Amino acid sequence: MSIRITKDISIAARLLTEGKLVAFPTETVYGLGADALNPIAVRRVYEAKSRPLDHPLIIHVGYNDLIDEFAVDIPNSAMALVSRFWPGPLTLVLKASEKVLPIVTGGQDTVAIRCPAHPMAMALLKEFAGGIVGPSANKFGHLSPTKAIDVDNDFGSEVDLILDGDACAVGIESTIVGFDGELPVMLRPGMITRETISTVISKEVLDVGPKPPRVPGSLPSHYAPVTKLVLLEADDIRQYLKENAGSHDFALLTFESFSELHPRIRMIIASRAPKDYAKNLYQWLRELDGVGAKVIIVEAVPATDAWDGIRDRLGRAAC
Ligand code: TXA
Ligand code: MG
């Protein structure tokens, strides 16, 4: 194990103060952290990720009241979501305060803020006592990391420290909600679902209008393994397997086993529970990416609210 991978929160907080890059675990995915008020450190985050400067970053905060430091004119419905879901996998896009650096927001007048629930992230934010920018700790367009080793594989010595908080419990990125007045707007689906949000604040959740804010997660090629990925219904998978008997060019991620049709193919049988599926999704894709197949075939997931975030990530990976 690299000495840069540690569980020492004090060292991590000190390095952030010195303007260094520290990858840290959250309950969703690992983030690539830097001091949100240090423009040089924030620029290094974009450079390390090879991320265009106009794709804004999320500021992670440790205390619910830090929201007032970075956001102004906060809608009541946003505060209702904060009290229900923070700390947790929900990011709110709000009007930015003057304190927020333009490099964090890509020059927009809004800022994305979230209070993560992972105990190590919470301890780090408490010790650092400030906002930490944290895009997912992967190179632009790669799969998001859900283990410390994933971060190490993508960045090596480009990050100064990786805090190891074991495997992420949620497994896909946070739900992102913006606001049109008091009405929530779904910018990125996640494991806190549209129906749950709607129920908590007794308001309809709007879709992004024709001119969406810049969300790199909404670029088609995001969250993709290197191997081509296709999404198919179970019947179409059965048909494909019959037509490709004897081939070893593909790997499968499915709900049911097709092993009687293809005994020697690399196959992962996924959980039918969305929480378990999300927790494992990126590790499954990494594993299937590594088997040397020409294509990863993924069985389409249910078209229900609970699967929205997962369906979104799979859809982008399949582009
Ligand atoms: O779960 C997560 O959200 C993880 C963990 C590390 O917190 N972070 C994450 O960050 O997924 P990132 O940078 O990979 O995705 C953040 C998304 C981007 O799509 C970005 O465009 C969007 O948030 N975003 C940031 N600021 C925004 C803003 N002002 N308006 C609209 N979207 C914004
Ligand atoms: Mg990302």
Side-chain angles (χ1 to χ4, degrees):
M1 187 192 269
S2 153
I3 49 158
R4 293 176 311 103
I5 303 183
T6 179
K7 291 186 185 283
D8 190 329
I9 285 159
S10 300
I11 293 181
R14 181 167 50 81
L15 288 180
L16 286 172
T17 312
E18 291 170 3
K20 301 279 176 28
L21 298 190
V22 173
F24 64 101
T26 81
E27 74 280 28
T28 58
V29 301
Y30 276 70
L32 183 59
D35 178 354
L37 295 180
N38 180 335
I40 297 166
V42 175
R43 183 173 287 272
R44 278 192 66 206
V45 171
Y46 285 93
E47 285 167 2
K49 269 186 75 86
S50 310
R51 172 158 163 158
L53 280 169
D54 60 355
H55 292 291
L57 306 177
I58 296 174
I59 297 181
H60 296 73
V61 296
Y63 312 94
N64 292 357
D65 58 2
L66 256 184
I67 190 174
D68 294 319
E69 217 168 305
F70 296 111
V72 292
D73 303 340
I74 304 171
N76 293 329
S77 52
M79 287 317 293
L81 292 176
V82 163
S83 35
R84 171 66 181 76
F85 295 112
W86 280 13
L90 177 71
T91 297
L92 300 176
V93 173
L94 302 165
K95 190 152 185 259
S97 76
E98 285 189 353
K99 208 169 174 182
V100 178
L101 299 171
I103 192 168
V104 170
T105 64
Q108 300 186 82
D109 58 2
T110 56
V111 61
I113 306 183
R114 119 170 170 83
C115 179
H118 191 293
M120 210 174 237
M122 293 169 82
L124 177 67
L125 283 155
K126 189 166 183 204
E127 181 139 350
F128 179 66
I132 301 177
V133 289
S136 51
N138 53 285
K139 294 276 183 181
F140 194 60
H142 286 195
L143 289 170
S144 292
T146 53
K147 290 184 176 170
I149 189 75
D150 302 336
V151 182
D152 201 27
N153 286 339
D154 244 17
F155 289 100
S157 60
E158 284 175 279
V159 296
D160 299 300
L161 195 81
I162 301 172
L163 262 188
D164 185 356
D166 302 321
C168 302
V170 175
I172 63 169
E173 302 81 354
S174 60
T175 305
I176 304 183
V177 172
F179 295 88
D180 182 350
E182 285 290 335
L183 289 182
V185 182
M186 181 61 75
L187 299 178
R188 179 173 74 184
M191 296 310 283
I192 293 178
T193 68
R194 167 186 295 266
E195 276 173 22
T196 315
I197 290 169
S198 177
T199 306
V200 166
I201 54 176
S202 307
K203 286 187 167 53
E204 184 196 350
V205 179
L206 306 177
D207 286 310
V208 196
K211 264 183 146 188
R214 292 191 295 262
V215 185
S218 66
L219 290 178
S221 72
H222 244 63
Y223 315 108
V226 176
T227 314
K228 180 180 160 68
L229 185 150
V230 295
L231 285 168
L232 293 176
E233 300 293 339
D235 284 348
D236 296 327
I237 295 179
R238 206 165 284 113
Q239 186 63 30
Y240 181 95
L241 294 183
K242 279 186 187 143
E243 285 167 8
N244 291 275
S247 163
H248 292 104
D249 285 347
F250 55 91
L252 290 177
L253 173 58
T254 55
F255 291 114
E256 59 183 282
S257 170
F258 295 95
S259 54
E260 79 285 358
L261 290 171
H262 254 283
R264 286 169 53 222
I265 220 70
R266 182 71 188 97
M267 186 181 306
I268 290 175
I269 313 292
S271 165
R272 287 183 191 270
K275 263 191 181 174
D276 293 335
Y277 194 109
K279 180 172 167 31
N280 292 296
L281 174 61
Y282 289 141
Q283 291 301 326
W284 287 335
L285 292 181
R286 278 169 197 278
E287 190 179 329
L288 295 179
D289 212 11
V291 301
K294 291 207 176 108
V295 58
I296 299 171
I297 299 174
V298 179
E299 183 174 346
V301 300
T304 56
D305 182 62
W307 290 87
D308 273 357
I310 295 165
R311 233 180 20 262
D312 172 77
R313 305 308 186 277
L314 284 174
R316 296 180 198 294
C319 281

